[in-house]
């Protein structure tokens, strides 16, 4: 499915519901960390994604209701899926990363990113278990691994999952636009993912700790 990138202001006028377009909005919540996995692999950032009811991965968010702004909708969706009040998130137009449109499906997707403290991120994770949508639309909260282990495990393996819509592109764009990883690191993760051997033996797993 082909998406084109447009300015958010243009999308709200040129691709409005009166012209048959539907709008959805999603956000990446992330926090920086000094944690090191197995004393060898810097984690750098924790990014939240969700395991959806259909078995795919995606970011928190959903459809924009009539008369709702993209920011109002994404804060509402975050509250419903992470079990917090809309005021807690405070996603604004300044957090907007990009907007993409598919003329084929007449769908307009707005994507935001919000950096929070590690304490706040953990608070969201805990509250998600008692949120309105948990167990219905949301089946689990997932942290994206940004490190690469031997045999391409870590981020390269994560990128081999099934993602809903253009959420994989949203993740890759986020990593580059917010400087969470370098272009070379992203390219390497994609290349290793194409070569990954998913049959990891116990001996190989033990070697990570050496």
């Amino acid at each position: 499915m082909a998406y084109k990138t447009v300015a958010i202001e243009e999308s709200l006028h040129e691709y409005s519901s009166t012209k048959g377009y539907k709008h959805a909005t999603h956000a990446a919540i992330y926090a920086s960390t000094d944690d090191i996995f197995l004393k060898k692999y810097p984690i750098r950032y924790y990014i939240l994604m969700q395991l959806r009811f259909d078995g795919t991965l995606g970011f928190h968010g959903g459809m924009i209701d009539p008369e709702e702004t993209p920011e109002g909708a994404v804060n509402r969706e975050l509250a419903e899926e992470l079990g917090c009040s809309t005021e807690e998130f405070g996603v604004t137009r300044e957090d907007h990363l990009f907007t993409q449109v598919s003329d084929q499906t007449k769908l307009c997707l707005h994507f935001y990113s919000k950096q929070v403290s590690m304490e706040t991120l953990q608070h969201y994770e805990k509250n998600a278990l008692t949120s309105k949508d948990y167990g219905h639309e949301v089946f689990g909260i997932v942290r994206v691994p940004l490190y690469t282990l031997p045999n391409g495990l870590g981020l390269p393996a994560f990128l081999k999952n099934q993602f809903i819509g253009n959420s994989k592109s949203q993740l890759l764009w986020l990593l580059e636009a917010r400087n969470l990883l370098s272009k070379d690191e992203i390219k390497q993760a994609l290349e290793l993912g194409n070569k990954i051997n998913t049959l990891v033996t116990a001996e190989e797993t033990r070697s990570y700790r050496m």
Side-chain angles (χ1 to χ4, degrees):
M1 186 183 304
Y3 285 92
K4 59 184 177 183
T5 303
V6 299
I8 186 171
E9 292 81 7
E10 177 187 356
S11 71
L12 298 175
H13 296 287
E14 297 300 321
Y15 303 95
S16 65
S17 59
T18 59
K19 298 181 180 180
Y21 285 83
K22 294 182 179 180
H23 288 245
T25 182
H26 298 83
I29 304 296
Y30 67 98
S32 63
T33 178
D34 294 326
D35 291 351
I36 300 179
F37 181 56
L38 299 179
K39 299 181 180 180
K40 291 177 63 176
Y41 307 100
I43 293 176
R44 293 186 279 188
Y45 294 93
Y46 287 115
I47 304 170
L48 294 188
M49 294 190 75
Q50 62 177 340
L51 176 63
R52 291 162 39 92
F53 65 92
D54 56 9
T56 63
L57 295 174
F59 287 100
H60 297 282
M63 302 304 295
I64 300 176
D65 293 336
E67 307 304 322
E68 231 180 358
T69 65
E71 294 79 29
V74 76
N75 283 305
R76 172 182 55 77
E77 288 285 349
L78 286 168
E80 292 175 358
E81 296 176 354
L82 293 176
C84 301
S85 67
T86 55
E87 292 77 15
E88 283 192 60
F89 298 103
V91 175
T92 68
R93 185 61 60 90
E94 292 183 355
D95 300 310
H96 177 258
L97 203 57
F98 65 92
T99 291
Q100 291 184 310
V101 176
S102 168
D103 291 321
Q104 179 183 354
T105 61
K106 288 190 174 294
L107 184 61
C108 188
L109 302 174
H110 308 281
F111 189 62
Y112 296 77
S113 66
K114 187 77 173 180
Q115 183 171 3
V116 299
S117 68
M118 193 62 214
E119 181 181 5
T120 298
L121 183 137
Q122 291 173 327
H123 168 66
Y124 292 159
E125 289 177 315
K126 292 176 182 177
N127 275 27
L129 298 177
T130 57
S131 69
K132 171 186 173 183
D133 289 343
Y134 196 83
H136 300 281
E137 294 183 18
V138 180
F139 271 41
I141 306 299
V142 178
R143 292 182 180 184
V144 181
L146 297 188
Y147 47 80
T148 297
L149 299 174
N151 293 339
L153 300 180
L155 179 59
F158 185 84
L159 294 175
K160 297 292 287 184
N161 282 297
Q162 292 296 315
F163 294 82
I164 189 69
N166 70 337
S167 56
K168 181 177 179 179
S169 296
Q170 290 174 335
L171 173 59
L172 295 174
W173 198 317
L174 167 73
L175 296 178
E176 181 177 340
R178 296 302 189 221
N179 297 312
L180 307 188
L181 290 180
S182 68
K183 289 183 179 181
D184 287 341
E185 288 173 316
I186 297 170
K187 180 180 178 182
Q188 181 188 45
L190 289 169
E191 291 175 347
L192 287 174
N194 292 329
K195 304 174 183 177
I196 191 170
N197 176 9
T198 56
L199 299 177
V200 182
T201 66
E203 186 63 33
E204 287 174 322
T205 302
R206 282 195 295 270
S207 72
Y208 302 162
R209 302 176 181 273
M210 298 175 61

